[in-house]
Amino acid sequence: FVFQFDTGSLLHRIPKPERGSFTGFAIHPTKPLLITAHSASRLINVWDTRTYTLKETFSWAVGRFKSVAISTDGTMAAVGNLT
């Protein structure tokens, strides 16, 4: 779920992955993007927060993802895995 921070109102429900669950979220500091990490599917998804449509998917053979973070200037992202 995505909520408006100051009001607590629900903005959108991100579709649940086909397998497993979300293990990490990060909101881009300057662009309308939400990045989600998925453990079982081993995917990183990038969502457009204006429309909540899937913009891009990354799949790296480095194990199951546990977390995602974006630098404060928005130029780098990092993901952590379970291996």
Side-chain angles (χ1 to χ4, degrees):
F1 297 98
V2 179
F3 294 91
Q4 181 67 37
F5 184 73
D6 56 347
T7 65
S9 61
L10 178 65
L11 296 176
H12 192 78
R13 181 177 181 184
I14 301 294
K16 185 177 182 220
E18 289 181 22
R19 297 183 345 215
S21 60
F22 295 110
T23 54
F25 295 88
I27 295 177
H28 195 283
T30 61
K31 296 180 181 177
L33 300 174
L34 169 69
I35 300 174
T36 58
H38 310 262
S39 64
S41 63
R42 300 176 185 201
L43 297 176
I44 298 294
N45 286 333
V46 179
W47 303 86
D48 183 325
T49 59
R50 294 171 295 198
T51 60
Y52 290 99
T53 55
L54 185 59
K55 197 172 171 159
E56 196 162 2
T57 298
F58 298 98
S59 177
W60 298 297
V62 294
R64 294 170 27 179
F65 296 113
K66 183 174 181 175
S67 60
V68 61
I70 301 174
S71 64
T72 56
D73 64 1
T75 60
M76 294 185 291
V79 294
N81 65 12
L82 296 173
T83 57

